[in-house]
Amino acid sequence: AQSVAQPEDQVNVAEGNPLTVKCTYSVSGNPYLFWYVQYPNRGLQFLLKYITGDNLVKGSYGFEAEFNKSQTSFHLKKPSALVSDSALYFCAVRDGNGGSQGNLIFGKGTKLSVKP
Amino acid sequence: EPEVTQTPSHQVTQMGQEVILRCVPISNHLYFYWYRQILGQKVEFLVSFYNNEISEKSEIFDDQFSVERPDGSNFTLKIRSTKLEDSAMYFCASSAFYEQYFGPGTRLTVT
């Protein structure tokens, strides 16, 4: 069965410091991995994805994520956090053997709090 | 930038009533999805829709649920007879390739 784990309920970072939000996954086939961000009273906004190719993928708002097959991880990173990055972050996965489409399995979310 | 829209933003209904949640996907997308998020829990997949038929559904999506694309722009989720446990945020999503784009959600409250 496919699953996603986000081990931290909350991550606290000072503005200007690097941030990491952790995600590990389990799928039977090739993983397609995604990060979404949710601001209060808003929908899920797509940040970035890993389908194939370079293990380091870059996305919106300066975020990047590193795919690590041996550790089955896809951690979200940013070199310098902003207060405006404070939000709820969701990691999602699906089995890539089904083609370009298919339902996403979400982690429970990690609340990122960036303090000035 | 095109985006997925959903109406209403909040729906309050009594147990046993029918509700229809509406979505307008991004115009050139062909794949449509409904997810829900019960307060404090994970976002869960309900159903996917392509070429005017359901392509996949979860065990949550029982006979009380149905989806429809009544015209070229709308995508609806109907719950025939709501239960208290249907109270959740319902998200519509659409996709052209790999990533799915989500609407702002409809908060459904069943009393």
Side-chain angles (χ1 to χ4, degrees):
Chain A
Q2 301 172 69
S3 66
V4 175
Q6 292 182 243
E8 304 149 318
D9 290 335
Q10 181 154 343
V11 170
N12 298 311
V13 177
E15 189 175 32
N17 282 2
L19 70 87
T20 299
V21 182
K22 295 180 181 176
C23 171
T24 58
Y25 66 88
S26 173
V27 294
S28 54
N30 293 320
Y32 288 174
L33 294 152
F34 305 83
W35 275 101
Y36 286 84
V37 60
Q38 186 179 33
Y39 296 98
N41 301 315
R42 301 286 297 276
L44 300 164
Q45 287 180 241
F46 170 72
L47 275 181
L48 51 78
K49 68 179 182 286
Y50 172 81
I51 304 300
T52 187
D54 286 342
N55 289 342
L56 185 66
V57 292
K58 294 188 185 296
S60 307
Y61 314 118
F63 283 94
E64 57 190 30
E66 186 162 15
F67 170 63
N68 187 317
K69 188 172 182 178
S70 63
Q71 296 185 2
T72 61
S73 67
F74 189 57
H75 300 331
L76 181 70
K77 300 182 181 187
K78 187 173 182 181
S80 178
L82 299 171
V83 172
S84 58
D85 293 330
S86 298
L88 193 55
Y89 289 81
F90 291 93
C91 181
V93 69
R94 55 172 289 257
D95 186 338
N97 290 345
S100 67
Q101 297 298 325
N103 61 291
L104 297 175
I105 305 298
F106 282 87
K108 62 179 171 58
T110 298
K111 183 177 178 183
L112 174 66
S113 178
V114 182
K115 294 284 194 280
Chain B
E1 186 175 325
E3 55 185 25
V4 176
T5 59
Q6 290 184 244
T7 54
S9 57
H10 192 188
Q11 174 90 47
V12 181
T13 189
Q14 289 190 324
M15 198 167 49
Q17 295 297 303
E18 175 184 285
V19 293
I20 298 176
L21 309 183
R22 291 183 166 78
C23 168
V24 178
I26 294 173
S27 63
N28 63 339
H29 288 184
L30 299 178
Y31 301 88
F32 313 116
Y33 303 83
W34 283 101
Y35 293 81
R36 79 172 186 191
Q37 185 180 29
I38 295 172
L39 190 63
Q41 297 187 23
K42 291 185 182 184
V43 177
E44 302 172 290
F45 167 74
L46 292 177
V47 65
S48 58
F49 192 86
Y50 170 70
N51 201 25
N52 279 323
E53 61 183 27
I54 290 173
S55 44
E56 197 173 358
K57 61 183 180 179
S58 72
E59 58 190 27
I60 301 169
F61 194 87
D62 61 22
D63 292 344
Q64 292 300 310
F65 291 87
S66 62
V67 288
E68 193 178 30
R69 187 154 164 83
D71 53 43
S73 59
N74 289 283
F75 179 51
T76 63
L77 173 70
K78 182 194 288 186
I79 309 176
R80 226 177 309 277
S81 177
T82 50
K83 307 184 193 74
L84 293 176
E85 54 264 37
D86 292 328
S87 295
M89 181 73 90
Y90 287 81
F91 293 107
C92 172
S94 69
S95 175
F97 298 106
Y98 296 99
E99 62 269 25
Q100 295 172 23
Y101 291 87
F102 285 76
T106 292
R107 180 165 297 286
L108 177 65
T109 303
V110 183
T111 62

